[in-house]
Amino acid sequence: GAGGVGGLGAQAAAALGALGLSFTLALSGGDELAAMAAESVPLQDAFASPQPVVLEFYGRDCAQCRESSARMHAVERAHPEVSWVMVDARDEKNRPLWEKLGVDEIPHFSFLDASKTLRATEIGAISSGQAEAGIEAIVAG
């Protein structure tokens, strides 16, 4: 039954844990979306901070979001001067923000400068270069 499967899962999780790997990431074939969400700067903190902000609107079940997550995570890590906020498009409490920014499909990236003014928008599974260009627009400004 299901108990046996759960036991195997726990054993695998323990083995992966010993290797320092996240069980959920290993299960989903290297999907970094969950890691990005877990490391995300809280929205309120990002807006209170003097740093420029990248808002990434995503959904856990969004294939394009998962497909671009490894690229975006690498770009995020390369830019500690920018607050990268993962905004779950399925979470109703984020509705005012996505309505204000005109988010109607995901992934959707909003690049805000230090004054929190929208400077660039990218939609879809964007390239590292597109993300870098958006960051350049808000850091230089």
Side-chain angles (χ1 to χ4, degrees), residues 29 36 38-39 53 67 70-71 74 81 85-86 95 97 119 133:
M36 291 183 76
E39 295 165 14
V53 177
E67 188 264 314
R71 287 194 305 274
E81 75 280 14
V85 182
M86 299 295 289
R95 178 179 289 279
L97 184 61
R119 295 289 178 203

Side-chain angles (χ1 to χ4, degrees), residues 37-101:
E39 295 165 14
S40 176
V41 176
L43 198 56
Q44 305 88 303
D45 296 3
F47 276 91
S49 111
Q51 291 189 311
V53 177
V54 177
L55 300 176
E56 178 177 348
F57 293 86
Y58 76 101
R60 292 183 200 288
D61 54 355
C62 160
Q64 280 196 316
C65 301
R66 286 197 304 270
E67 188 264 314
S68 63
S69 62
R71 287 194 305 274
M72 294 305 103
H73 206 181
V75 172
E76 174 190 5
R77 284 190 294 244
H79 291 280
E81 75 280 14
V82 171
S83 298
W84 194 291
V85 182
M86 299 295 289
V87 184
D88 187 344
R90 299 276 181 277
D91 189 334
E92 274 298 311
K93 77 174 187 291
N94 296 323
R95 178 179 289 279
L97 184 61
W98 84 63
E99 286 181 347
K100 183 173 196 269
L101 292 168

Side-chain angles (χ1 to χ4, degrees), residues 22-35:
S22 158
F23 187 51
T24 50
L25 289 184
L27 265 185
S28 58
D31 173 12
E32 297 195 39
L33 209 50

Side-chain angles (χ1 to χ4, degrees), residues 118-141:
L118 181 65
R119 295 289 178 203
T121 300
E122 292 286 354
I123 298 168
I126 66 173
S127 68
S128 300
Q130 287 170 292
E132 293 281 355
I135 289 171
E136 205 172 293
I138 58 177
V139 172

